Amino acid sequence: MAAPFQNYSGGVLLADIVKRNNLSTYVSEAIKERSLFIKSGAVVRNALLDSREGGTRIQVPEFNPVSPTEEILDGTATWGTSGAGYLTPQKIGTGTQIATICHRAFAYAVDDMAVLAAGEDPMLHIRNQLADAINKLNSARLFSHLAGLFGTALSANALDKGKAAASGANEDNFLTAATVAEARSKLGERGEELDTLVVHPSVAYSLYQVGMLTFSTSALSTGGAVTWGGGGVGVGARSIGEFAGMNVIIDSAVNTVAPGTGGHQREFYCYLIKSGTILEGVQQDLRIEAERSVLSKQDVLSVDYHTAYHVMGTKWSDAGDNPTNANLATANKWAATYDIDLIPMVQLTVNSSLDTSTI
């Protein structure tokens, strides 16, 4: 007997298997879960910086921190700055912070012949690595942004302890508790607010190395030089975790814009940041689209995202928007909108005992 022209009840239908393409959502969540900047709180999403209604930049009106002028009361008819025996009302300053939106995208294509030759699906491997790849690109953009900020706008919050020579760097030029304390002092009493330290792996593992060393007490008792030997604190540790009261983020992209001068020993940027100082705004959420090109026999995947990083108290001062990373790293394209000692961020430049090469 022929089957009736209908779907049997209880059967598995296509709609039961394929609900919707959630790859963009999965990748977006994976980016958040794997980003050390987001997990540490150094970077915070802020809806006030979103620009979903359009535009090329995000403008945020601000009230500057108050700095009142005291007046002297002395009981005469001419007291006060008015000279007429009354208090002079003061006003709070205002300004506009500006974040420039960066539009980024990339695509991959996989040819059927490549799949046949490899015996596997390259597109599957591409999809599995998207979150980590986008985080890496975001880090490079963020560090270009910070390099530009500290070039001029926040230059007074920068401390360079690197050795300006081809060799000879020592503890005075490395990341130590002493250099971190000096970096904190750039912000005065607000230096204690810094709770996140971003370092290059060459700097991080030099701390790891020192943490696993102990000094010879006999050398100290005889007035001799300190002698290092194995078996110190942190022998079993595989990561830094914390240093000098700060959570440590290790990212090789911190040197996206390499500091130093040609012929000098390699230097490394370190950033001391208060959690929540770097904000992220979104114009359009991460979008991933895939299609099949029947003529070229290819599977194509395209990715685009439209976001902006912003440090409170600063602004993008260039007339153009959607800058390249090189433009973000250009010093004269940034400005501060209020006193920079109120911006809890310091750039520290050091050498590393694990990389004594020259650039």
Side-chain angles (χ1 to χ4, degrees):
M1 177 179 177
F5 296 103
Q6 65 184 42
N7 286 321
Y8 291 105
S9 61
V12 178
L13 305 178
L14 179 62
D16 297 320
I17 301 173
V18 181
K19 298 295 185 184
R20 57 192 293 260
N21 184 1
N22 286 323
L23 183 59
S24 294
T25 302
Y26 294 151
V27 173
S28 296
E29 289 302 317
I31 288 172
K32 295 175 185 177
E33 292 171 1
R34 300 179 191 178
S35 171
L36 294 178
F37 291 97
I38 295 175
K39 288 170 65 176
S40 70
V43 173
V44 177
R45 274 279 291 112
N46 191 316
L48 292 177
L49 290 176
D50 289 352
S51 182
R52 299 182 186 276
E53 71 281 0
T56 62
R57 56 178 53 191
I58 302 164
Q59 301 190 53
V60 183
E62 69 174 18
F63 289 106
N64 296 341
V66 297
S67 180
T69 299
E70 291 182 327
E71 300 187 54
I72 305 298
L73 291 78
D74 60 13
T76 68
T78 58
W79 65 268
T81 56
S82 65
Y86 60 83
L87 293 172
T88 302
Q90 302 173 44
K91 64 180 181 180
I92 186 172
T94 61
T96 301
Q97 300 182 30
I98 298 174
T100 182
I101 301 171
C102 294
H103 307 277
R104 300 288 191 263
F106 59 85
Y108 280 96
V110 174
D111 184 85
D112 284 356
M113 294 299 292
V115 176
L116 291 173
E120 292 190 22
D121 182 8
M123 190 62 78
L124 176 62
H125 293 276
I126 291 170
R127 290 195 296 265
N128 289 342
Q129 298 178 56
L130 277 180
D132 290 334
I134 293 173
N135 267 332
K136 186 174 181 179
L137 293 170
N138 284 341
S139 292
R141 177 159 54 93
L142 174 59
F143 289 127
S144 295
H145 182 148
L146 296 183
L149 276 178
F150 282 96
T152 298
L154 301 183
S155 59
N157 284 5
L159 175 64
D160 188 352
K161 300 297 291 184
K163 182 71 174 181
S167 61
N170 55 34
E171 286 77 8
D172 293 336
N173 312 109
F174 299 154
L175 182 66
T176 63
T179 53
V180 166
E182 187 176 351
R184 286 184 184 273
S185 71
K186 285 285 184 178
L187 300 183
E189 68 275 13
R190 291 186 176 86
E192 289 300 312
E193 298 177 4
L194 303 173
D195 56 20
T196 303
L197 175 63
V198 186
V199 296
H200 189 277
S202 291
V203 176
Y205 292 120
S206 68
L207 297 178
Y208 179 68
Q209 179 189 52
V210 171
M212 291 196 300
L213 299 176
T214 58
F215 56 82
S216 168
T217 55
S218 61
L220 290 177
S221 62
T222 58
V226 173
T227 303
W228 295 95
V233 177
V235 172
R238 296 188 179 182
S239 64
I240 302 302
E242 295 184 1
F243 178 73
M246 291 177 287
N247 295 322
V248 176
I249 296 175
I250 305 173
D251 196 325
S252 58
V254 71
N255 263 34
T256 296
V257 181
T261 303
H264 287 181
Q265 190 168 328
R266 188 174 300 278
E267 297 177 354
F268 301 92
Y269 283 139
C270 307
Y271 290 101
L272 291 74
I273 305 169
K274 177 184 177 181
S275 296
T277 299
I278 304 172
L279 306 180
E280 182 184 23
V282 175
Q283 186 172 64
Q284 180 177 286
D285 292 316
L286 176 73
R287 179 172 55 183
I288 300 176
E289 298 174 291
E291 68 174 8
R292 172 72 178 170
S293 174
V294 295
L295 296 180
S296 64
K297 300 298 182 182
Q298 288 179 311
D299 293 323
V300 181
L301 180 76
S302 78
V303 181
D304 65 291
Y305 40 102
H306 311 263
T307 60
Y309 286 121
H310 178 63
V311 174
M312 292 299 293
T314 68
K315 69 176 181 179
W316 173 251
S317 59
D318 192 72
D321 286 302
N322 192 23
T324 63
N325 284 4
N327 281 335
L328 286 171
T330 303
N332 61 10
K333 295 182 182 292
W334 296 96
T337 59
Y338 52 69
D339 293 342
I340 64 171
D341 60 350
L342 299 177
I343 301 174
M345 181 182 294
V346 175
Q347 182 188 73
L348 173 61
T349 306
V350 299
N351 299 110
S352 170
S353 60
L354 297 185
D355 189 346
T356 58
S357 61
T358 57
I359 60 173

